[in-house]
Amino acid sequence: MKNLKYILAAVALGTTISLTSCSDFMDLEPTGEYTEELVFSDAALTQAFVFELYNNIHPGAQEHSLDGLTDDAYFTHNYGQRDVNESKAINEGNVQWFNNNNNPFKWELRYRGIRYANIIINNIDAVPEKVGISKERLKGEAYYMRAHMYHELTRGFGGVPIVTKDFSLNDQEEMMQARNTIRECVEFMMADLTIAEQTLPATVSGAEVGRVTKYVATGLKARIALHFASQLYADRTINTLNVNQYDGDRMALYRQAKENAIKVIEEGPFELIDCSVGINTERAVTFKTIMTDKSNSEQMFVRSYSTAGGAKNRMGLWHGPNGYSNWAGTTPTHDLVQAFEFEDGSIVTGLIKPGEFQKGNPYNGRDPRMYATVATDGNEWGRPRSAGAALDPTPLGRLQAGKYEVTDGDVKDLMYEDGVARTSMWGIDTRKGPIEDWNGSWTGYYEKKLIDTAVDAQYYPQEVPHVYMRLAEMYLIAAEACVELGELEEAAKWLDVLRGRVALKPVREALTARGASFNQADLREFIRRDRRAELAYEQHRYFDVRRWMIADVTGNKPITGITVEGILKPGQTQYKPYIHNEEKYDYYYYVLDLNSREVRAWDNKMYFAPILLDEMRRNPNLVQNPGMSL
């Protein structure tokens, strides 16, 4: 066989293959000890090769992600995200973060995985049968993975070349394929997923958790259909490149999205986690387990992580508070925090613009999903301090993300917003605190949703999976598709189930609380807000603001954070250690302007990512996305 001269393969179940390549997915280089002939002459080796495909979709748990490129988060350490957010000279020769391995639609990595999937698909039928190994299932996994990688590419770039052949070095001309249209890409992905549905099992359990099932394929169909039915792909004024325009029946796509999502909901083995018991902060604890449990009934497709070997999930280290010697990477914006509704269904109308302030806790009475997603000043983190124990002796740690008047404070005459200088101390979890101040959050908030806060993240990884897909997304897809199809009552039905599981008000009551009406426009906005709250930090927001074509609003928002000041009430004293205490302190919350860190500015060319100049030179038949040429 000429397609791949050598393949590194693992013989034992559950181990992975290390496949290397040069920058181009079509580069071919001898890399190991197993020839292609040998791999496809033994079902166990073929199975190991298929398992390696899972390492070629985006790995999920990463230090920086798409969230820092949205109004939900600010990434403390830049790594090229600032230039993307500021639209500074981004083009094919200056792609910045788009060429980072943390990018889920990095061209080189996804096409490398597609190439491996093609090799498997084109050879697996000739593999001899072996007891205990299902070739049909392996084939279904390969088809799913190919569709998954194409869905990552198309959501980032638009139409891309559809490659089904595992090219050899003698196929130079055939390698130079033009970009296929979005419609062709959608039809291709749907066809792959149909084959996957027909060959994959309905459920997995035990050691097989993390392998895809037929309902994961159906769920991906729903996600793809909803995405490409959306406004961006119907637009002809901003989206001017024909390969990026969907020229089919968008209402039919919405119908497909709805039907596939409902199929997963009604026929699949998944169940929403009931988070309706207790006060809102107690319900938040249950909601958070959806993401941090190793396995539960709501998770559809996850990447598992172990502390023993292989890739590690260090999300606690990457995103946790500097007062725990963590790095405060992707930190929540104040805009995200204020997007979470109140429990009565109303939405926040104040404490939004820089300079606005409030006396007293602004986070009381909120959507439980906020407390599960964001850690604010005074929150319990989840484990005792080590280095900062003397300054925070509380058993589960309470975040100190502000400045506080303290009778024996070590900072004399610290100026407060009211113009009074006080003897004070800076909180441990600030950029002026005593522990790794350079890693403190600029926004005053910390991401919590994806972190097992009981783990000492400075030293240890966490056994928290990355959730690629979960049942809640299917409810949101069904609801959004129904709204676009004009089926408003049914949309409310799906939303009410999802909101009811965290004991939020039904749609009609919440709309009334907001002064909104039960019509298509208001319900569309309602769903978009709910989707933001439910799926925060699951890497949906980047794609959502683009497909809805609201990025000109979200991408031009100034980054805001919160400044917290704790002032002793008259007659009160407080000696170190400081502990959050609303009986002793008056707390003031000021909206902080972070334009000095990043001046966000949207450019319509950013609806689609630039294809790297090297790829354009390698394949002269590619056409660049508008505004991205040198």
Side-chain angles (χ1 to χ4, degrees):
M1 298 180 183
K2 65 179 182 178
N3 302 321
L4 184 64
K5 294 301 294 180
Y6 295 92
I7 300 174
L8 271 176
V11 178
L13 181 71
T15 60
T16 61
I17 311 160
S18 176
L19 287 161
T20 60
S21 73
C22 298
S23 61
D24 184 16
F25 82 99
M26 293 169 185
D27 285 348
L28 304 173
E29 181 180 354
T31 57
E33 58 185 297
Y34 291 106
T35 64
E36 182 177 341
E37 287 86 348
L38 180 57
V39 167
F40 292 114
S41 69
D42 183 285
L45 290 178
T46 302
Q47 179 174 256
F49 194 14
V50 171
F51 287 172
E52 173 62 13
L53 278 181
Y54 286 83
N55 288 328
N56 285 278
I57 64 174
H58 187 249
Q62 299 288 299
E63 180 184 355
H64 41 101
S65 68
L66 290 172
D67 300 299
L69 302 176
T70 75
D71 50 348
D72 280 358
Y74 169 68
F75 181 59
T76 304
H77 310 299
N78 190 359
Y79 294 169
Q81 289 204 352
R82 177 172 180 166
D83 279 4
V84 174
N85 286 328
E86 295 182 339
S87 301
K88 279 188 175 178
I90 296 297
N91 57 49
E92 62 190 10
N94 180 37
V95 299
Q96 293 290 330
W97 186 84
F98 288 123
N99 200 40
N100 191 290
N101 285 354
N102 284 203
N103 178 3
F105 51 84
K106 185 176 178 180
W107 186 281
E108 170 199 339
L109 297 183
R110 300 295 83 82
Y111 267 116
R112 183 179 67 185
I114 288 167
R115 176 178 170 231
Y116 298 153
N118 287 338
I119 292 171
I120 293 166
I121 290 167
N122 294 337
N123 289 281
I124 196 167
D125 286 339
V127 175
E129 300 290 344
K130 192 165 191 173
V131 175
I133 297 178
S134 169
K135 287 200 316 180
E136 285 300 293
R137 181 179 184 181
L138 295 177
K139 182 189 294 186
E141 287 175 291
Y143 274 104
Y144 174 86
M145 288 297 160
R146 186 167 71 177
H148 189 108
M149 288 180 277
Y150 269 114
H151 118 278
E152 289 177 321
L153 284 168
T154 52
R155 291 199 299 172
F157 295 104
V160 296
I162 296 173
V163 182
T164 59
K165 183 178 179 181
D166 40 306
F167 290 108
S168 78
L169 290 175
N170 297 321
D171 300 321
Q172 294 290 334
E173 291 300 321
E174 292 183 66
M175 291 182 195
M176 298 179 185
Q177 294 185 199
R179 296 172 66 177
N180 288 85
T181 67
I182 280 294
R183 183 175 183 177
E184 290 168 338
C185 290
V186 168
E187 290 172 352
F188 178 78
M189 290 184 285
M190 292 297 196
D192 271 7
L193 292 169
T194 296
I195 294 172
E197 286 175 314
Q198 295 165 350
T199 55
L200 292 173
T203 62
V204 291
S205 60
E208 289 194 336
V209 169
R211 295 181 72 179
V212 291
T213 68
K214 65 179 292 186
Y215 291 110
V216 174
T218 305
L220 189 57
K221 275 185 170 182
R223 180 189 291 175
I224 290 168
L226 183 77
H227 185 92
F228 293 108
S230 301
Q231 183 179 350
L232 176 60
Y233 303 95
D235 181 75
R236 299 294 184 268
T237 56
I238 293 172
N239 179 6
T240 56
L241 190 65
N242 64 350
V243 299
N244 291 339
Q245 300 166 349
Y246 187 75
D247 61 359
D249 184 345
R250 291 173 57 233
M251 292 302 107
L253 269 190
Y254 278 124
R255 183 70 59 189
Q256 286 185 52
K258 172 189 169 180
E259 291 173 353
N260 282 297
I262 292 173
K263 183 176 181 180
V264 173
I265 293 168
E266 295 184 342
E267 298 180 18
F270 317 105
E271 293 182 3
L272 292 175
I273 303 294
D274 183 3
C275 311
S276 63
V277 178
I279 61 173
N280 54 3
T281 51
E282 293 169 335
R283 302 199 302 274
V285 172
T286 308
F287 180 82
K288 189 171 179 294
T289 64
I290 297 167
M291 304 302 296
T292 57
D293 277 352
K294 289 184 183 180
S295 177
N296 61 50
S297 65
E298 186 163 329
Q299 296 172 358
M300 294 173 59
F301 178 32
V302 303
R303 180 188 178 109
S304 298
Y305 288 90
S306 170
T307 57
K312 300 293 190 294
N313 184 340
R314 302 303 302 269
M315 199 64 77
L317 175 66
W318 297 327
H319 290 187
N322 62 304
Y324 283 88
S325 298
N326 302 150
W327 299 352
T330 299
T331 53
T333 60
H334 184 62
D335 188 80
L336 171 65
V337 173
Q338 298 301 73
F340 287 94
E341 67 192 80
F342 288 106
E343 284 201 283
D344 66 0
S346 63
I347 57 177
V348 177
T349 56
L351 197 65
I352 292 175
K353 297 178 181 178
E356 293 183 338
F357 74 97
Q358 177 176 321
K359 179 182 178 181
N361 193 332
Y363 312 119
N364 290 333
R366 294 288 196 92
D367 178 344
R369 296 174 294 190
M370 189 204 83
Y371 308 114
T373 303
V374 180
T376 63
D377 178 70
N379 286 174
E380 287 187 340
W381 181 248
R383 67 179 314 276
R385 304 276 183 173
S386 50
L391 293 175
D392 177 19
T394 59
L396 294 177
R398 300 200 73 169
L399 287 187
Q400 299 178 12
K403 61 184 179 184
Y404 317 102
E405 182 181 7
V406 178
T407 307
D408 61 344
D410 51 6
V411 183
K412 308 301 181 183
D413 298 325
L414 183 60
M415 189 63 65
Y416 282 64
E417 291 289 337
D418 63 2
V420 177
R422 298 176 171 87
T423 299
S424 305
M425 63 168 279
W426 287 99
I428 305 172
D429 305 299
T430 69
R431 294 190 68 85
K432 295 187 178 180
I435 301 173
E436 298 190 20
D437 54 353
W438 63 91
N439 275 334
S441 169
W442 286 97
T443 69
Y445 298 110
Y446 287 94
E447 187 267 303
K448 189 176 183 181
K449 185 177 185 179
L450 307 180
I451 298 174
D452 181 350
T453 58
V455 172
D456 187 352
Q458 180 185 7
Y459 300 109
Y460 304 106
Q462 59 183 26
E463 290 188 312
V464 172
H466 173 75
V467 181
Y468 288 113
M469 188 182 296
R470 62 186 177 95
L471 187 59
E473 183 189 352
M474 298 299 111
Y475 280 85
L476 290 164
I477 290 173
E480 184 177 340
C482 283
V483 166
E484 299 305 328
L485 291 166
E487 299 166 357
L488 305 190
E489 292 291 347
E490 187 174 358
K493 180 188 79 170
W494 298 117
L495 282 174
D496 284 346
V497 173
L498 188 62
R499 291 169 58 81
R501 66 84 164 267
V502 287
L504 288 174
K505 296 295 183 184
V507 170
R508 286 183 180 276
E509 289 184 39
L511 282 169
T512 299
R514 300 173 193 186
S517 301
F518 192 81
N519 58 40
Q520 188 179 49
D522 287 354
L523 200 51
R524 180 183 290 127
E525 178 58 32
F526 190 98
I527 285 174
R528 292 178 179 183
R529 180 178 288 269
D530 236 41
R531 187 174 168 94
R532 186 181 186 187
E534 178 73 30
L535 300 178
Y537 297 123
E538 298 177 48
Q539 300 203 57
H540 291 275
R541 182 72 174 169
Y542 176 92
F543 301 113
D544 285 346
V545 300
R546 282 162 173 75
R547 68 185 181 85
W548 294 330
M549 296 194 76
I550 61 170
D552 60 328
V553 175
T554 64
N556 278 316
K557 289 179 184 176
I559 306 175
T560 54
I562 200 74
T563 296
V564 181
E565 296 182 344
I567 301 174
L568 286 167
K569 293 182 177 181
Q572 296 288 341
T573 58
Q574 174 65 53
Y575 294 91
K576 292 187 293 187
Y578 161 81
I579 296 174
H580 184 90
N581 187 335
E582 295 186 14
E583 298 296 321
K584 187 174 285 192
Y585 281 89
D586 286 325
Y587 289 97
Y588 292 82
Y589 299 80
Y590 295 86
V591 181
L592 177 64
D593 185 345
L594 290 172
N595 265 352
S596 62
R597 298 299 306 163
E598 199 171 273
V599 183
R600 292 193 170 180
W602 176 256
D603 188 315
N604 283 335
K605 72 180 183 180
M606 303 300 288
Y607 274 111
F608 297 97
I611 301 172
L612 189 65
L613 180 59
D614 285 351
E615 299 293 344
M616 299 296 296
R617 287 172 172 168
R618 189 176 290 119
N619 180 359
N621 292 322
L622 290 177
V623 58
Q624 183 59 268
N625 281 324
M628 296 300 185
S629 297
L630 286 174

